[in-house]
Amino acid sequence: MGSRAGPVRRYNFSMHIQDIFARDPVTFSFEFFPPKTDEASEELFRTIAKLQELRPSFVSVTYGAGGSTRDRTHDLVVRIERETDLTAVSHLTCVCHTLEEMTAILDRYAASGITNILALGGDPPKSVANYDRNRDAFQYASQLVRFVRGRTNAPDRRGFGVGVAGFPEGHPGCPNRLQEMDHLKAKVDAGADYICTQLFFDNRDFYDFRERCELAGIKVPIVAGIMPVGTKAGMVRM
């Protein structure tokens, strides 16, 4: 991700991600993790309000496998929409969701004016041993992308804007890099508007990933996901 100098611009509420990429040849954004307490939520929102001054192209909010975390994601995205000039992208994962739950989530976002979704496969919750993915409405992110794009009550005439994840260093669940690119192409063909990558430690991995996308016929914008190293323990965990 990067930024460029330019005139101060007034940002609209909930711009469709297609319009953002058309406006900004180079983008930068922030990703927020929903806090676990009301006090921490208020502190985070004060920070978000201050970050408006940097005029990011958009911001996104992550989404956990636990129910309380999911509720905080929904609440934070809606609050960003209502109380700031930022465009929010809400993460949404396949795990632990029935079709009815997915429909209700998207209906709530549509009613709140939320325009953009980052559709992810997601990791099974660590708190549930031997979680059975067969109970989920969608097994793969490509299926979720297709479902999100098919919602006709989205707040934009084009439907929701949809992003998907890319893996410059390789997906841990798919050791075959050619097959991995096939999965990414399936997500784009299902209707994804852009790709946001997982973090990477060597820029050459990102450049190689971008070239492989080009060879695979993937033409959507690719956003480089960057996570600053704050502590040694955090780096080792990553």
Side-chain angles (χ1 to χ4, degrees), residues 12 77 127:
N12 298 320
V77 169
S127 59

Side-chain angles (χ1 to χ4, degrees), residues 78-116:
V78 171
R79 189 174 180 187
I80 289 172
E81 160 65 21
R82 291 177 176 173
E83 300 182 28
T84 76
D85 290 336
L86 299 171
T87 292
V89 176
S90 179
H91 292 205
L92 185 60
T93 63
C94 295
V95 295
C96 300
H97 272 319
T98 64
L99 184 62
E100 291 74 18
E101 289 170 338
M102 284 292 193
T103 301
I105 290 170
L106 293 177
D107 285 348
R108 177 185 178 187
Y109 282 150
S112 302
I114 305 302
T115 306
N116 303 297

Side-chain angles (χ1 to χ4, degrees), residues 85-160:
D85 290 336
L86 299 171
T87 292
V89 176
S90 179
H91 292 205
L92 185 60
T93 63
C94 295
V95 295
C96 300
H97 272 319
T98 64
L99 184 62
E100 291 74 18
E101 289 170 338
M102 284 292 193
T103 301
I105 290 170
L106 293 177
D107 285 348
R108 177 185 178 187
Y109 282 150
S112 302
I114 305 302
T115 306
N116 303 297
I117 302 292
L118 187 65
L120 306 167
D123 300 317
K126 296 180 180 179
S127 59
V128 181
N130 301 318
Y131 181 77
D132 183 8
R133 287 296 309 275
N134 290 323
R135 295 182 297 177
D136 298 330
F138 306 112
Q139 304 298 310
Y140 304 103
S142 59
Q143 297 171 327
L144 177 57
V145 171
R146 189 171 290 106
F147 177 72
V148 173
R149 289 308 301 263
R151 299 297 297 165
T152 57
N153 61 339
D156 188 282
R157 58 182 171 77
R158 292 162 290 187
F160 287 100

